[in-house]
Amino acid sequence: MPLASLVCDFDAALASRSRGYASMSHGRADWRRSAVVRMDVLVAGEPVDGLASVAHTSEVAPRARAIALKLREALPRQLFKVAVQVAVGGRVIASEHIAALSKNVLAKCYGGDITRKKKLLKKQQVGKKRMQAHGRVVVPQAAYLAVLQRQD
């Protein structure tokens, strides 16, 4: 069994399913080559090193999709659209987007000329572009835990 399978919840699952009676010992049998790749997680275009993992090439696509979905649910919404991507060697395998929180800037405008409304919407659009260019997303600890808990 590969070491990555032991690290991710195997020991805890064994103990919980056996009500604490089972235990496991492991040792190195031999070295074998395997086709494994590093999966990098990008949040808003920036790599998050704590979420990077190693997976066999046969299970990269489903695991990448699951990680992206879990992160989309675990990360809080920002004032700008956030892209959550899982990449292998610079190639994006799975991608999800977290929708931006939106403020109704037209709430105070009622009736009157449409140009005022267009001006407010354009001003909001410029502000969101600037915020997306300079904004950073802080990944909370709950998001790390959501990704690390595998539900296989």
Side-chain angles (χ1 to χ4, degrees), residues 5-16:
S5 300
L6 292 175
V7 172
C8 291
D9 286 344
F10 181 75
D11 193 35
L14 179 68
S16 67

Side-chain angles (χ1 to χ4, degrees), residues 15-136:
S16 67
R17 288 193 179 120
S18 66
R19 295 188 180 105
Y21 288 107
S23 64
M24 175 186 67
S25 64
H26 55 85
R28 181 170 52 101
D30 60 350
W31 293 98
R32 295 183 193 165
R33 286 193 176 267
S34 183
V36 294
V37 291
R38 176 187 163 126
M39 294 191 324
D40 293 316
V41 177
L42 307 169
V43 176
E46 295 182 19
V48 181
D49 291 331
L51 295 175
S53 62
V54 176
H56 195 271
T57 54
S58 64
E59 58 184 37
V60 165
R63 282 189 59 191
R65 182 85 178 136
I67 289 171
L69 286 172
K70 283 182 185 180
L71 273 177
R72 185 183 74 182
E73 294 168 3
L75 288 175
R77 290 174 66 185
Q78 306 292 321
L79 291 174
F80 51 91
K81 188 167 99 169
V82 176
V84 176
Q85 300 170 326
V86 180
V88 172
R91 191 175 130 235
V92 175
I93 302 297
S95 178
E96 290 290 329
H97 294 281
I98 301 172
L101 286 173
S102 60
K103 179 181 174 186
N104 187 4
V105 293
L106 301 180
K108 59 185 174 188
C109 293
Y110 50 90
D113 191 18
I114 191 70
T115 57
R116 178 69 184 148
K117 292 179 183 178
K118 286 183 179 180
K119 180 181 176 185
L120 285 173
L121 289 173
K122 182 141 179 104
K123 188 175 178 182
Q124 182 187 34
Q125 183 181 15
V126 168
K128 285 202 181 232
K129 278 186 182 178
R130 185 175 54 241
M131 193 181 310
Q132 190 166 13
H134 299 293
R136 292 192 46 147

